């Protein structure tokens, strides 16, 4: 497994590769969710590149960029076991050198949900993912459904800018008790870890209500909100029932609906989602 830290080195390695390349972009501190993306990339491509880069431009000034968990040695050991070919691990100044002054702005789908709570977040994501695509030139790129809006934004960017990459979105991986895997789960103490189960419970409740015939989006939002508010450590950022492609809030659930939530458990902000109406 090669570890490459420069964009020039990564481009050189790519030029020497004639087969297909799958890219798994990550911010490191890997868990089984990331490994499921790597494993799918392994099945579908001749070579697998994983990028590990905590991207400063997608964090707001009061967010957790500085304390975001990092463990390079552990990440590299995990990726070596998955038989990854290349780990692209650039320092910040390699991605954003002096004078860097360009960004990628995706439209309406970035204005809602995470975009509304975290101004500038998707500009940072779209810009860095665009750069990674240009540097690595992958045939396919792999993202998790846990960041549902991110996947929608990246697909929009790829379509709108005619990028030559297939975006593959893989299901959210969960702990046995339902908590969605996330690098940020490490912030939770024991009591918070238990309280965090309210996220997956509320999504389960949404699915159950939908199965029982509930089609009022407001009915679903209200039930979920009541359940989450009953957990004293939880503070809601949003509970959304939206059209699964435009992310516009729904009145009636008639087709696929993305139910997504952002909830603070103590100081830790967690997101999770499920899709209703696909069966
Ligand atoms: O999902 C993530 O880990 C990040 O947002 C990504 C796609 C690697 C861009 O920094």
């Amino acid at each position: 497994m090669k570890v490459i830290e420069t964009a020039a080195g990564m481009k050189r390695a790519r030029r020497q590769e004639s087969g297909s390349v799958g890219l798994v972009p990550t911010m490191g501190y890997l868990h089984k969710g990331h490994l499921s993306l790597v494993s799918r990339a392994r099945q579908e491509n001749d070579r697998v590149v994983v990028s590990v880069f905590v991207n400063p431009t997608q964090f707001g000034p009061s967010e957790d960029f500085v304390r975001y968990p990092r463990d390079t040695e552990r990440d590299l050991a995990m990726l070596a076991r998955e038989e990854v070919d290349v780990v692209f691990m650039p320092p910040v100044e390699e991605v954003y050198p002096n004078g860097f002054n360009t960004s990628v702005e995706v439209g309406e789908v970035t204005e809602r949900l995470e975009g509304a709570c975290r101004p500038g977040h998707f500009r940072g994501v779209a810009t860095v993912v665009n750069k990674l695509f240009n540097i690595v030139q992958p045939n396919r790129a792999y993202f998790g459904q846990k960041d549902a809006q991110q996947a929608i934004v990246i697909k929009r960017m790829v379509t709108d800018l005619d990028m030559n990459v297939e975006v593959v979105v893989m299901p959210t991986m969960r702990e046995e008790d339902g908590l969605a895997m996330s690098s940020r789960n490490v912030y939770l103490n024991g009591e918070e870890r238990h309280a965090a189960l309210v996220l997956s419970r509320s999504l389960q409740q949404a699915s159950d209500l939908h199965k029982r015939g509930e089609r009022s989006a407001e009915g679903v939002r209200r039930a979920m909100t009541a359940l989450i508010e009953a957990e004293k450590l939880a503070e809601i950022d949003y509970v959304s029932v939206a059209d699964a492609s435009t992310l516009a809030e729904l009145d009636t659930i008639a087709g696929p609906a993305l139910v997504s939530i952002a909830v603070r458990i103590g100081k830790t902000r967690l997101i999770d989602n499920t899709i209703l109406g696909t069966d």
Side-chain angles (χ1 to χ4, degrees):
M1 185 174 83
K2 269 194 218 156
V3 178
I4 300 179
E5 294 188 355
T6 64
M10 184 65 239
K11 287 179 186 168
R12 211 175 309 119
R14 179 62 179 105
R15 276 198 300 275
Q16 284 157 10
E17 188 48 61
S18 56
S20 62
V21 170
L23 169 66
V24 182
T26 81
M27 299 207 297
Y29 211 73
L30 305 175
H31 51 69
K32 281 188 195 153
H34 296 112
L35 299 188
S36 75
L37 307 183
V38 172
S39 149
R40 176 77 177 262
R42 186 71 286 159
Q43 286 164 28
E44 295 182 343
N45 301 278
D46 298 315
R47 295 279 181 263
V48 176
V49 177
V50 175
S51 61
V52 176
F53 178 64
V54 186
N55 174 35
T57 64
Q58 69 187 75
F59 290 80
S62 58
E63 293 184 11
D64 57 344
F65 172 67
V66 173
R67 72 178 194 122
Y68 194 84
R70 293 160 169 90
D71 190 340
T72 304
E73 261 180 45
R74 177 172 157 276
D75 287 347
L76 289 176
M78 286 168 87
L79 295 175
R81 276 197 297 276
E82 297 298 314
E83 299 182 5
V84 163
D85 299 285
V86 175
V87 181
F88 178 48
M89 212 175 232
V92 171
E93 57 282 8
E94 184 68 20
V95 178
Y96 301 113
N98 273 342
F100 184 91
N101 197 17
T102 300
S103 57
V104 179
E105 189 92 43
V106 180
E108 218 173 332
V109 286
T110 65
E111 286 162 16
R112 312 173 195 277
L113 308 175
E114 287 303 281
C117 294
R118 305 180 65 189
H121 170 68
F122 286 119
R123 189 183 314 121
V125 170
T127 303
V128 81
V129 170
N130 194 333
K131 284 202 67 146
L132 291 169
F133 286 179
N134 286 339
I135 294 167
V136 178
Q137 303 268 312
N139 299 81
R140 300 182 187 84
Y142 296 80
F143 298 88
Q145 173 63 19
K146 158 114 179 340
D147 294 297
Q149 188 177 12
Q150 170 171 280
I152 290 170
V153 169
I154 290 167
K155 281 185 177 169
R156 183 79 265 155
M157 173 181 81
V158 164
T159 302
D160 289 355
L161 300 183
D162 296 301
M163 293 176 161
N164 256 332
V165 52
E166 182 190 336
V167 174
V168 181
V169 182
M170 296 286 292
T172 303
M173 296 287 282
R174 296 183 180 279
E175 305 289 353
E176 269 183 22
D177 57 9
L179 182 69
M181 289 187 187
S182 162
S183 306
R184 289 189 168 98
N185 290 348
V186 72
Y187 297 149
L188 302 169
N189 66 28
E191 197 190 353
E192 291 168 341
R193 170 70 183 71
H194 182 74
L197 293 177
V198 76
L199 279 88
S200 52
R201 273 212 317 275
S202 72
L203 294 170
Q204 186 57 54
Q205 182 195 37
S207 299
D208 292 345
L209 284 169
H210 185 259
K211 274 192 200 119
R212 292 206 297 269
E214 176 64 275
R215 292 295 178 268
S216 156
E218 191 50 27
V220 172
R221 279 183 217 108
R222 243 187 283 119
M224 292 175 73
T225 302
L227 191 144
I228 298 168
E229 281 178 350
E231 168 50 66
K232 67 178 188 330
L233 294 184
E235 198 188 314
I236 295 175
D237 260 6
Y238 60 78
V239 172
S240 158
V241 181
D243 179 283
S245 44
T246 64
L247 299 184
E249 288 300 318
L250 292 171
D251 293 328
T252 305
I253 307 170
L258 177 72
V259 180
S260 58
I261 50 180
V263 178
R264 286 169 203 279
I265 303 289
K267 287 198 170 71
T268 306
R269 187 174 182 280
L270 299 174
I271 59 171
D272 201 352
N273 68 81
T274 190
I275 296 191
L276 303 180
T278 48
D279 40 33

